[in-house]
Amino acid sequence: MTSTTPAAAGKKWGTLVISCLAMLLLALDVTVLHLATPKLVEDMTPSATQLLWILDVYGFALAGLLITFGNIGDRIGRKKLLLIGTVAFGAASALTAYAPTPELLIAARALLGVAGATIMPSTLSIIRNVFTDPKERTAAVGIWSSVSALGFAIGPVVGGALLDHFWWGSVFLINVPITLVLVVVGAVVLPESRNPNPGRLDVVSVPLSIVGVVSFVYAFKVAAHDGLAEPAVWISALLSLVTMVVFVRRQTRLPEPLIDVRLFRVRAFSGAVGANVAVIFGTLSISVAFAQYFQLVRGWSPLISGLAGLPGGVGAAIAGGLAGTLIMAVGRAKTVALGLFLTSVGFFLYGLIDVDTSYGFMLLPMIVAGLGMGFTFAVTNDTIIASVPRERAGAASAISETATEVGGALGIAVLGSVLGGLYTGNLTLPAGIPAEAADVAGESLGGAVHVAAQFPAPLGTQLLDAAQRTFVDSMHTTLVVGAVSMIVLAGACLWALRGTPKEIPEVILDDTGRVEEPVG
């Protein structure tokens, strides 16, 4: 390990703190809007289509631009891009908080997504360039992953506390002081790094990557909401397929590609990216299901629901911090496989939860699944950025984050569709419910709760009880599907990451430009 002065070491770990705070900002923002939606709808009365765009446009902009901004950061400097993006994120947060109409809110959310796409890859690539010692880098990425997981967990808590006292825009306005701290401190603490020989940015590849990723995510979001029969699903999927085929072919022929597809020949890199997709596939869809369970089945407030889910995030944060030690003990492949296996065990235990299960019992699967996610994400993120040359850290980080966005869209579309289909297909309503009300109740648990409130007891109580029990039964089946998929993917990752060294050395390119497989 290279010796460093105390001042240099302090600045290095200060860089990690700033990077973690930036990632915490983004993680908080992902979860707070869903809590704010009821108040937002009441205040702004958007149409159903407008509400969908309010919820989804952030993710579209973020996913579509990650690859582009990851490459731009490698070229102009990751610190510069992070600071510019942070300023933009703070401004867009203020615009979102005070947006007077649904149209302006959609535009502000899109700007938030654009700004977020500059921050995400910058944080991880800065860590990759500052922490050159493999053990320190693994520890730093583990801490970064822990903070990210904790951010997802405390987002509902912060959002619930604000919504109990303020209007819906307050959940975005809280971003502004955080961004001010990030910019002021980051300008002093963060070091600058960039690719010394980046080449030119291919202007054709940029729109191809944006269209390919956004149309892919859009297809799965529409499928989750409207079903596979919707023409937009197949049109978007076809557009994504054609665009991405053209994009990949172009990358193989360019001297300076936007994404060096040769990186996927590195088994450690491609296996880690696949593991990222796998774990977010299950966990994000399940978190959405449990948000409904806590609020619509148990009847808890947004704040209580947020606090109820906090132990899972704490478990993930602890596991992220311990991942480096576990890697040195059993290796990367076994650590990722263990993480996915623990997540699957958590899902199976979740399947034992009923309508009136005690919260004490829920803690066990919550913590087990959280530990599994923490181990997996810490190792995969470190493996991804360690498996590429440092000058390509921004592009590699963008691939990692894009994989996460795609995995989340897939999980919500596939497992969300399984949950919704089982609920709709198995719901049996009591006699006396009008056809129109039955249709609303059959679409979702939220619709059933709304309809049940319109009928006097005992009819309304019977309707609500039937809907809640059907939802929980459907959730059980969905959890089993997710658990089985995690076990299969654990085996796949164990194979894909086999032989990956515990400490990945600096990756180099040979004389032909081929990425050399890191070996222990």
Side-chain angles (χ1 to χ4, degrees):
M1 184 183 298
T2 303
S3 61
T4 57
T5 64
K11 194 165 186 178
K12 180 193 298 184
W13 292 101
T15 296
L16 177 61
V17 171
I18 295 299
S19 298
C20 287
L21 183 58
M23 198 60 201
L24 179 65
L25 178 70
L26 294 178
L28 288 170
D29 199 72
V30 168
T31 52
V32 293
L33 180 61
H34 292 91
L35 287 174
T37 298
K39 282 192 173 184
L40 186 154
V41 170
E42 181 181 349
D43 182 50
M44 195 170 283
T45 62
S47 67
T49 301
Q50 287 173 331
L51 181 60
L52 280 176
W53 278 105
I54 290 169
L55 293 172
D56 291 339
V57 71
Y58 174 84
F60 290 150
L62 183 70
L65 290 168
L66 280 168
I67 292 173
T68 298
F69 280 125
N71 277 270
I72 290 175
D74 286 343
R75 286 166 166 79
I76 70 170
R78 291 119 188 174
K79 172 183 177 179
K80 181 184 295 183
L81 183 65
L82 177 61
L83 295 179
I84 292 172
T86 302
V87 171
F89 197 88
S93 296
L95 289 174
T96 303
Y98 292 107
T101 65
E103 293 82 3
L104 289 176
L105 179 57
I106 292 169
R109 287 282 293 165
L111 290 175
L112 267 178
V114 173
T118 69
I119 297 172
M120 268 191 176
S122 298
T123 58
L124 200 53
S125 57
I126 287 173
I127 291 172
R128 171 70 173 93
N129 279 268
V130 169
F131 291 88
T132 54
D133 177 78
K135 286 185 179 179
E136 285 191 345
R137 187 205 60 241
T138 299
V141 174
I143 294 170
W144 178 88
S145 298
S146 298
V147 172
S148 178
L150 196 59
F152 283 109
I154 66 176
V157 179
V158 174
L162 289 170
L163 291 169
D164 278 353
H165 299 90
F166 305 103
W167 92 114
W168 62 266
S170 62
V171 299
F172 297 104
L173 201 60
I174 194 174
N175 294 340
V176 177
I178 299 176
T179 57
L180 288 174
V181 172
L182 277 171
V183 171
V184 173
V185 180
V188 177
V189 174
L190 293 177
E192 186 59 280
S193 64
R194 61 173 60 87
N195 186 344
N197 300 297
R200 67 182 183 87
L201 187 68
D202 183 53
V203 294
V204 177
S205 296
V206 170
L208 284 174
S209 69
I210 294 172
V211 173
V213 173
V214 170
S215 56
F216 182 86
V217 175
Y218 181 77
F220 278 95
K221 283 185 176 289
V222 174
H225 186 264
D226 299 325
L228 290 173
E230 181 66 30
V233 173
W234 298 102
I235 293 172
S236 298
L238 180 61
L239 176 62
S240 175
L241 177 63
V242 171
T243 306
M244 293 310 292
V245 168
V246 174
F247 175 79
V248 170
R249 287 176 62 86
R250 185 173 181 84
Q251 302 315 294
T252 60
R253 298 172 181 175
L254 289 172
E256 297 97 16
L258 197 65
I259 288 182
D260 190 344
V261 294
R262 296 170 301 175
L263 294 173
F264 287 94
R265 298 175 187 169
V266 180
R267 191 158 31 84
F269 180 86
S270 55
V273 171
N276 259 10
V277 174
V279 74
I280 200 68
F281 172 87
T283 54
L284 187 58
S285 57
I286 298 307
S287 68
V288 172
F290 268 89
Q292 297 180 68
Y293 173 82
F294 287 144
Q295 296 187 59
L296 301 179
V297 175
R298 304 306 295 264
W300 296 346
S301 69
L303 176 58
I304 298 300
S305 298
L307 289 169
L310 192 57
V314 173
I318 292 172
L322 296 175
T325 303
L326 192 58
I327 288 173
M328 299 311 296
V330 301
R332 290 175 182 267
K334 290 180 181 178
T335 302
V336 172
L338 174 63
L340 290 171
F341 177 74
L342 287 174
T343 305
S344 71
V345 170
F347 283 11
F348 275 122
L349 292 174
Y350 272 139
L352 301 177
I353 291 174
D354 207 344
V355 173
D356 53 0
T357 300
S358 69
Y359 179 69
F361 178 83
M362 295 182 206
L363 287 174
L364 178 61
M366 201 179 298
I367 293 173
V368 170
L371 289 170
M373 288 185 292
F375 284 135
T376 303
F377 276 127
V379 179
T380 54
N381 284 321
D382 180 59
T383 304
I384 288 168
I385 63 168
S387 299
V388 302
R390 275 191 290 164
E391 60 269 19
R392 297 182 185 173
S397 302
I399 292 173
S400 173
E401 299 296 345
T402 302
T404 301
E405 291 294 320
V406 169
L410 280 169
I412 290 176
V414 176
L415 295 183
S417 295
V418 170
L419 176 62
L422 288 170
Y423 171 82
T424 301
N426 295 324
L427 180 63
T428 301
L429 296 175
I433 303 297
E436 185 176 347
D439 289 340
V440 175
E443 287 183 0
S444 67
L445 178 60
V449 172
H450 177 73
V451 169
Q454 300 175 7
F455 292 94
L459 188 58
T461 304
Q462 293 172 354
L463 188 158
L464 181 60
D465 181 68
Q468 289 176 337
R469 292 194 175 277
T470 302
F471 179 84
V472 171
D473 290 342
S474 302
M475 194 169 69
H476 289 166
T477 304
T478 306
L479 286 162
V480 170
V481 172
V484 171
S485 68
M486 287 291 172
I487 292 176
V488 173
L489 291 165
C493 290
L494 191 61
W495 174 84
L497 294 174
R498 72 190 189 283
T500 304
K502 296 175 181 178
E503 295 185 17
I504 299 179
E506 187 72 16
V507 179
I508 59 173
L509 303 180
D510 64 18
D511 292 338
T512 66
R514 185 178 66 85
V515 178
E516 292 190 343
E517 186 89 34
V519 294

